[in-house]
Amino acid sequence: MGDLAALLGGFGDALTPANLAFAAIGVVLGTAVGVLPGIGPAMTVALLLPLTYALEPASALIMFAGIYYGGMYGGSTTAILLNTPGESSSVVTALEGNRMARSGRAAQALSTAAIGSFVAGTIGSVLLVATAPLMVDLAVGLGEADYFAIMVLALLAVTAVLGSSRVRGFASLFIGLAIGLVGLDAVSGQARLTFGVLQLIDGIDIVVVAVAIFAVGEALWVASRMRRSAVEVIPVGRPWMGREDWKRSWKPWLRGTALGFPFGAVPAGGAELPTFLSYVAERKLSRHPEEFGKGAIEGVAGPEAANNASAAGTLVPTLALGLPTNATAAVLLAAFMSYGIQPGPLLFQREPDLVWALIASLFIGNLLLLALNLPLAPLWAKLLRIPRPYLYAGILFFATLGAYATNLQAFDLWLLLGFGVLGFAMRRFGLPVLPLIIGVIIGPLAEERMRTALTLSQGDWGGLVADPLSVVVYALVALVLLFPLLRRFLPARLGGRPAPVPPSDPGVDLREHEEVPR
Amino acid sequence: MSAPAAPPAAPATGARPARRPRDLSQLGVCAFLVLLGALVVADAATLSQGLVDDGVVGPRPVPYVVGAGLVVTALVLAVDVLRGGRGEAEDGEDVDLSAGSDFKRIGLLVLVFAANVLLVERLGWVVSGALFFGGVAKLLGGRSLLRAVAVGAVLSLLTFYFFWVVLGIQLPPGVLDGVL
């Protein structure tokens, strides 16, 4: 009951005019960047991190949460209207959504995505309220060694399970861990990897790394392979759904939510797998299986709900354990840290007002998004016509602003450029960027936990596995590492019929899909 | 990073040839990883153990693990590359994977960026930012350099005053010191 009262208190804080305004700014901005190509919610929050110097923690985090949810809504718009999902989690939405749009049902596809996202986001937020305190209760009893084990699991899970090539994921992770090493070692006071450069003593600012990898890397990557032909945007009217559309949508929304949330909440879930599973499930359960591949509304409703529910689920480990599992949550964590607040079990005790205001703002943001998206969809679609040179020049401009304003030193801009080139090379060579970001953020925290645990055990490595829980977690780690062997048996069971999108490699099918004569 | 001059043509959209040519430029990634790993280990080796022997709690074990991880990953990746594996280059709304990489444009962009870094404190945020925006937009295919610079000037003026008035952060005024 205490949580409910706290949540109500959170609504009180989140509903002040100022915070309401920040929530509104957040969702508008989030939707816009979700729609805009080349720029996503993670990059946007990274670019806005300098604002944390001027804003109250609650206001800034409410705005960032709005961007997080808004980005999910906006992402479906591009997937449906352009058939070019900006994020891997909207790949499945594009399958049926774009077919619907092509057959003149763009409005219905956008509505079922928006309403489904609202339903899933709201239920997901309720589940967040219900499960986060439970996870906190569990986590409070964790020792340093257990915590270290869980961090290792999260790092490896993000690296090994998501993405199509594990070795490339590990390459990215280790680069991130190496970046995280730079700076003064907190325990011994010795400088690591600074090469005598004074500005590196404090370590490399996560803002600079995140902005460089997400924004500069992406801008360079797009610049190297700019699409010459103008993209074709399918015109939309005002979204609405007929009775039949509602009838066919509501069950997929609920099923998608049920699939998405748990996947988001575990440290290895992500949004790709549940959206795919939801798609397969809907195709199996549909009374119109023949429509799949030609624009079945269930194929939009389910995956979109799964996508948003997973976004809400991701906040559970982010807030309760301090372990983000997607890029936006990782940058959100960086925002907490720039206020000197460490998310984790103690967050709910030390900053209850902040956490509950943030959670309350999720409900408010969802409602705002629904109100914003249904009537304004045609307007959002116009954003797709923004001239590309200006768009990417703007991204680079704001990237330099974000990196420079953090410390007001030109040195950070050199770092920005260097890591930007790294981000470009990673995209070129198919190295996923998420493990790097998570490695930079979690790596130093994990090292600290490990060394504290080892100090407590007086240097005995056995101290890391003294607790049964950590042993269980390491068993899970082993399972994650052996996953490819197990996965060989999975697809046959998952699909029944040959699946249209192999879960391991959504990119391939996308290309096939794009081949449709225009 | 060793950038390949001409990457093997990306598979044509949709055609999906069964056998793709090996992309040996990826070995550059392996070399980078090995170098980085060696650097991390070499740097860790220079750290002193401290007055007391802090053993495993000291600053060295983690860099050793990370460095070793980098080298091992590089080796596994090299094997993968030689067997014909390749990274799935990232797709996106504005990315045309079937087009070859335009490295001249990347080089010019990096130069414009570097110029901005050098100029930002001399010319100031507003002037340098406007030139930067204009230069990038022009490089990316914008029609009029003048218009792009004008747009950039508006942006950099707005951000300058926003940071100053709202956030209390003064970006370098540079040559416009006193005017702004």
Side-chain angles (χ1 to χ4, degrees):
Chain A
M1 229 46 232
D3 293 335
L4 212 56
L7 179 62
L8 286 177
F11 270 106
D13 289 338
L15 281 172
T16 60
N19 283 344
L20 206 54
F22 279 113
I25 295 173
V27 294
V28 172
L29 217 56
T31 314
V33 300
V35 173
L36 280 174
I39 177 167
M43 189 201 290
T44 312
V45 177
L47 290 176
L48 291 176
L49 281 178
L51 290 180
T52 55
Y53 292 108
L55 296 180
E56 292 282 309
S59 311
L61 290 170
I62 283 173
M63 181 169 75
F64 292 163
I67 294 173
Y68 180 52
Y69 270 28
M72 299 287 156
Y73 276 74
S76 62
T77 308
T78 5
I80 290 169
L81 296 184
L82 287 183
N83 195 27
T84 47
E87 286 165 63
S88 48
S89 52
S90 357
V91 166
V92 180
T93 307
L95 288 179
E96 298 300 319
N98 189 251
R99 296 296 169 89
M100 283 183 73
R102 276 171 203 285
S103 53
R105 293 183 20 96
Q108 285 76 9
L110 287 174
S111 335
T112 197
I115 300 171
S117 297
F118 170 75
V119 170
T122 305
I123 297 177
S125 305
V126 170
L127 292 175
L128 169 68
V129 172
T131 50
L134 290 180
M135 199 178 259
V136 166
D137 288 344
L138 279 176
V140 167
L142 294 180
E144 299 286 330
D146 300 327
Y147 232 107
F148 173 67
I150 293 175
M151 284 173 160
V152 171
L153 174 65
L155 283 175
L156 291 183
V158 167
T159 307
V161 179
L162 311 177
S164 54
S165 162
R166 283 152 53 96
V167 61
R168 289 170 181 82
F170 275 106
S172 168
L173 172 70
F174 280 116
I175 297 173
L177 291 174
I179 297 171
L181 284 175
V182 176
L184 222 51
D185 168 40
V187 183
S188 68
Q190 296 192 66
R192 291 193 294 199
L193 290 172
T194 59
F195 312 107
V197 179
L198 223 55
Q199 287 98 328
L200 289 178
I201 292 277
D202 287 334
I204 296 175
D205 204 314
I206 179 67
V207 178
V208 176
V209 181
V211 171
I213 298 287
F214 286 124
V216 181
E218 178 76 15
L220 291 177
W221 172 234
V222 171
S224 76
R225 306 208 162 178
M226 193 83 121
R227 206 180 275 279
R228 299 258 176 258
S229 50
V231 284
E232 170 205 7
V233 185
I234 298 168
V236 253
R238 182 170 291 247
W240 61 277
M241 293 205 299
R243 180 191 293 267
E244 177 70 12
D245 295 325
W246 280 96
K247 237 171 82 186
R248 289 176 60 177
S249 288
W250 71 270
K251 279 186 198 154
W253 290 337
L254 296 182
R255 282 192 290 258
T257 308
L259 276 171
F261 186 83
F263 271 95
V266 299
E272 290 86 354
L273 207 53
T275 49
F276 168 72
L277 288 178
S278 162
Y279 181 81
V280 173
E282 294 314 329
R283 203 186 47 177
K284 270 196 143 173
L285 293 170
S286 171
R287 284 201 205 132
H288 314 269
E290 75 285 353
E291 277 186 31
F292 272 78
K294 295 183 195 124
I297 195 165
E298 294 93 338
V300 180
E304 259 315 292
N307 182 6
N308 268 59
S310 146
T314 300
L315 290 176
V316 176
T318 306
L319 294 175
L321 297 176
L323 290 177
T325 53
N326 68 30
T328 317
V331 186
L332 212 56
L333 192 78
F336 272 102
M337 286 156 77
S338 74
Y339 282 114
I341 301 169
Q342 179 63 56
L346 296 177
L347 180 69
F348 282 77
Q349 289 170 24
R350 290 194 190 142
E351 305 277 350
D353 296 347
L354 178 64
V355 182
W356 289 109
L358 178 65
I359 293 177
S361 80
L362 297 178
F363 289 96
I364 298 166
N366 249 309
L367 200 62
L368 287 174
L369 278 169
L370 187 66
L372 204 71
N373 273 277
L374 283 183
L376 294 182
L379 210 66
W380 292 124
K382 283 215 172 68
L383 272 182
L384 292 170
R385 297 179 192 282
I386 191 168
R388 294 301 183 261
Y390 286 0
L391 175 65
Y392 288 99
I395 289 173
L396 280 180
F397 177 86
F398 281 103
T400 55
L401 178 65
Y404 185 73
T406 312
N407 300 313
L408 289 183
Q409 53 187 19
F411 177 75
D412 283 341
L413 291 179
W414 290 119
L415 285 182
L416 185 73
L417 180 57
F419 286 119
V421 172
L422 177 68
F424 163 74
M426 290 175 72
R427 285 171 172 80
R428 157 70 180 83
F429 291 109
L431 267 57
V433 295
L434 180 60
L436 181 144
I437 297 290
I438 304 262
V440 176
I441 295 180
I442 302 293
L445 301 174
E447 183 186 5
E448 199 186 319
R449 298 275 184 184
M450 184 194 82
R451 286 162 72 178
T452 316
L454 285 174
T455 311
L456 292 175
S457 72
Q458 293 172 343
D460 179 9
W461 288 101
L464 292 182
V465 287
D467 221 316
L469 182 80
S470 50
V471 178
V472 172
V473 176
Y474 286 120
L476 283 175
V477 168
L479 198 68
V480 167
L481 291 177
L482 295 175
F483 188 65
L485 292 176
L486 304 174
R487 190 159 60 174
R488 278 190 202 156
F489 305 102
L490 272 182
R493 269 195 297 148
L494 278 182
R497 280 167 283 183
V501 197
S504 54
D505 195 4
V508 173
D509 194 76
L510 188 68
R511 255 181 243 135
E512 265 183 333
H513 182 59
E514 230 170 81
E515 236 188 333
V516 190
R518 304 205 164 181
Chain B
M1 273 237 122
S2 70
T13 337
R16 277 220 282 166
R19 193 166 292 274
R20 295 181 288 195
R22 284 191 293 183
D23 179 7
L24 292 181
S25 62
Q26 292 181 100
L27 290 177
V29 179
C30 304
F32 172 78
L33 293 174
V34 169
L35 282 177
L36 184 63
L39 191 69
V40 171
V41 171
D43 178 80
T46 64
L47 298 171
S48 67
Q49 196 58 270
L51 291 175
V52 284
D53 181 16
D54 41 11
V56 290
V57 200
R60 298 204 280 195
V62 174
Y64 282 151
V65 172
V66 172
L70 280 164
V71 174
V72 171
T73 313
L75 296 180
V76 178
L77 183 59
V79 171
D80 181 62
V81 170
L82 292 175
R83 283 158 127 198
R86 62 164 67 220
E88 195 81 28
E90 199 180 271
D91 208 347
E93 285 102 334
D94 285 338
V95 176
D96 185 359
L97 283 182
S98 56
S101 290
D102 185 344
F103 283 99
K104 189 180 154 212
R105 188 188 270 166
I106 295 294
L108 287 172
L109 272 180
V110 170
L111 282 182
V112 171
F113 196 114
N116 183 38
V117 183
L118 292 172
L119 293 176
V120 70
E121 273 160 13
R122 294 188 179 88
L123 294 181
W125 174 259
V126 176
V127 177
S128 183
L131 292 176
F132 177 54
F133 184 95
V136 173
K138 181 72 193 159
L139 274 177
L140 292 182
R143 286 204 193 87
S144 150
L145 178 64
L146 208 64
R147 214 176 107 194
V149 172
V151 174
V154 173
L155 264 185
S156 52
L157 268 173
L158 283 176
T159 47
F160 183 86
Y161 281 109
F162 179 79
F163 270 71
W164 194 0
V165 177
V166 182
L167 303 183
I169 297 173
Q170 198 190 14
L171 297 165
V175 288
L176 295 180
D177 199 4
V179 183
L180 292 170

